Amino acid sequence: MRTVLQATAVASAAAVGYAVAIERNWFALRRFEVPVLPAGAEPLRVLHISDAHLTPGRHRLMSWIRSLDDLDPDLVVNTGDSIAHPASVRCLLDSLGPLLDRPGVFVLGANDLHAPTPKNPMRYIRAPSSVWHERNEPNLPWEKLRDGMVAAGWLDLDNQRGKLTIGGLDIALAGVHDSHVRRDRYELVAGPADPAAGLRIGVMHSPEPRLLDRFAADGYDLLLAGHTHGGQLCLPWYGTLVTNCGLDRKRARGLHRHPPDGRAWLHVSAGLGTSPWAPARFACRPEASLLTLVARDPS
Ligand SMILES: [Fe+2]
């Protein structure tokens, strides 16, 4: 019995060490092909980043973000929770570096507004984590973060619509602020997406099904979200335990349809980082995604 307990303790310590020291810094680039463009359109490369939760000491994460420019994306989409410290705005903008010279859009997440605090991880299993944020005033410099990205030319899609033309393709966009803390105002962007556009993209931080339903019903072709961290601490051969929102576990990360038998595509990023108070990832590497949008199947 004693040997079993000792072996369990050693295995647990090794798993924690791996999750904190290795996997958290083992960044993955996911690649997907998404058939959402009109016939004859040239492929469009969309870099989707999310949930960096950046603190000033995370140099490996910062240099990995910077290296993503080598992918030569046509459009960058940041679905929020970028910072986790008052001094992180400059670090994030520096990390984005040349990506800011490319067309880009963003929405904010609750963690761009509220500095992280220690939480019992079991709380995520019992219920979503929105309550604390709703009760407190923002204490992170989210306006500076927003202004920095806007000054670079990126579109702020927090409860707003936008338009871009990239490589001759007209793109209609709409986004909402974070529904996890009830800052989403879909009514401000509601209505059919421009049918004349070649591509319609809906952007949100938290992939709440009621929002996904509305974007899909309004004709958006591609829905992009983060927030779930893919579950962050997952079980091998089982996967995600929690999504921290109303989305089902099977779609906590990656590319799926929405509704599951519907026309729109949903990509949920498992995110680049973690809260500094939960600095571990297990069976769920930090990631960015390069979505290569291609023409729809003519059938
Ligand atoms: Fe996050």
Side-chain angles (χ1 to χ4, degrees), residues 51 53 81 229:
D51 294 87
H53 292 265
D81 274 10
H229 295 199

Side-chain angles (χ1 to χ4, degrees), residues 11-220:
S12 301
V16 170
Y18 162 80
V20 172
I22 297 176
E23 187 164 319
R24 186 181 181 224
N25 291 301
W26 188 16
F27 306 109
L29 178 71
R30 311 284 179 202
R31 292 176 188 264
F32 298 94
E33 197 171 275
V34 196
V36 284
L37 298 184
E42 288 295 310
L44 187 86
R45 290 181 305 279
V46 178
L47 175 66
H48 182 188
I49 57 174
S50 197
D51 294 87
H53 292 265
L54 193 62
T55 48
R58 296 216 62 202
H59 298 292
R60 272 190 270 190
L61 172 55
M62 289 187 248
S63 60
W64 197 72
I65 293 172
R66 200 174 179 85
S67 75
L68 294 172
D69 188 65
D70 295 345
L71 298 168
D72 195 21
D74 300 302
L75 171 66
V76 185
V77 178
N78 178 3
T79 46
D81 274 10
S82 298
I83 56 172
H85 187 280
S88 297
V89 173
R90 190 69 260 156
C91 301
L92 183 85
L93 296 174
D94 287 348
S95 306
L96 290 172
L99 288 169
L100 288 172
D101 296 332
R102 299 178 180 277
V105 302
F106 68 91
V107 290
L108 299 175
N111 287 287
D112 292 314
L113 280 63
H114 302 279
T117 54
K119 292 189 191 99
N120 178 352
M122 294 307 290
R123 194 173 131 168
Y124 288 91
I125 291 178
R126 290 200 304 268
S129 62
S130 54
V131 177
W132 185 91
H133 291 318
E134 283 178 20
R135 286 184 190 149
N136 290 275
E137 285 299 308
N139 59 355
L140 284 179
W142 63 270
E143 296 100 330
K144 266 195 196 169
L145 173 65
R146 176 199 61 192
D147 293 349
M149 291 189 282
V150 167
W154 284 18
L155 294 181
D156 177 1
L157 293 179
D158 287 297
N159 300 325
Q160 297 185 70
R161 286 185 176 223
K163 275 184 193 172
L164 286 172
T165 300
I166 301 175
L169 183 76
D170 291 329
I171 306 174
L173 300 120
V176 287
H177 205 305
D178 192 356
S179 59
H180 195 58
V181 286
R182 299 181 200 180
R183 285 178 176 257
D184 57 306
R185 301 289 178 266
Y186 193 86
E187 63 274 17
L188 298 177
V189 300
D194 183 358
L199 171 67
R200 293 151 285 269
I201 303 179
V203 183
M204 71 216 84
H205 178 65
S206 181
E208 206 55 64
R210 65 178 167 79
L211 289 172
L212 299 174
D213 290 346
R214 295 201 72 177
F215 277 116
D218 277 338
Y220 289 90

